Amino acid sequence: MPFLLSGLVTYLLKGLFDLTALFGQGGSYVYYYSFSTIVQGFVALVAFLGMLAVFKLQRDQTKRDRMSVPIGVIAEDITKIEASMRELTIDLKTFAVVCLSNVALALIAIPFIPYFNSHLAGPAYLAGNIILSLWVLFLAFPIIEKVLRLTP
């Protein structure tokens, strides 16, 4: 979907600008910097959110274990904690799949940069990767919000 949207945007922009000449100039390193930044930044984001999620899941597990003591078993609270843990795990899995796909697409693009410098496929591919990156950031927000919230 992001690459279909980028194709449409690129098609509209090519009427206004010569995108191939703009991005593919001899001294221009737009593709190298863009794709390497996507790879480095998003791998770091996966590691950071993974660390936050592990912290939250361990905190919830500890809280659930304390509630399981025979003295004060509160089934409703335990169910809420388990639902919160399950929801965070699903969100984190979706985020990781999309983010790592974004990284893989950026890595795949690096050897094709000489081709991208001379064809319209370069700006279209870069736009698709940028749109996918924005989607990854959109997916990261609810995870951060859930982890930083102190209640389950």
Side-chain angles (χ1 to χ4, degrees):
M1 185 66 172
F3 286 91
L4 291 175
L5 183 60
S6 73
L8 177 65
V9 168
T10 304
Y11 179 76
L12 294 174
L13 287 177
K14 85 172 186 165
L16 299 172
F17 307 105
D18 184 9
L19 296 176
T20 306
L22 185 67
F23 288 159
Q25 295 174 356
S28 175
Y29 296 101
V30 172
Y31 298 116
Y32 287 110
Y33 291 134
S34 299
F35 293 131
S36 67
T37 300
I38 287 170
V39 170
Q40 293 171 19
F42 284 95
V43 168
L45 183 62
V46 166
F48 175 71
L49 285 182
M51 183 234 5
L52 285 178
V54 166
F55 165 75
K56 169 84 165 123
L57 291 172
Q58 285 178 341
R59 189 180 68 198
D60 288 350
Q61 181 68 34
T62 303
K63 200 180 286 186
R64 189 180 78 181
D65 290 345
R66 275 193 231 139
M67 289 181 172
S68 297
V69 176
I71 298 170
V73 177
I74 304 169
E76 184 178 315
D77 289 341
I78 292 174
T79 305
K80 283 182 187 177
I81 290 173
E82 288 175 348
S84 170
M85 292 169 68
R86 190 171 29 260
E87 185 179 326
L88 179 63
T89 304
I90 290 169
D91 287 349
L92 191 62
K93 180 181 175 184
T94 303
F95 164 80
V97 166
V98 175
C99 188
L100 293 176
S101 298
N102 187 27
V103 168
L105 288 170
L107 281 172
I108 289 169
I110 291 173
F112 293 102
I113 289 174
Y115 174 78
F116 288 164
N117 282 333
S118 60
H119 293 86
L120 189 60
Y125 196 93
L126 179 60
N129 225 223
I130 290 171
I131 291 170
L132 192 57
S133 297
L134 292 172
W135 184 29
V136 168
L137 294 176
F138 178 75
L139 291 172
F141 181 74
I143 295 170
I144 294 171
E145 188 177 59
K146 288 173 188 165
V147 170
L148 295 180
R149 186 177 34 180
L150 295 177
T151 57

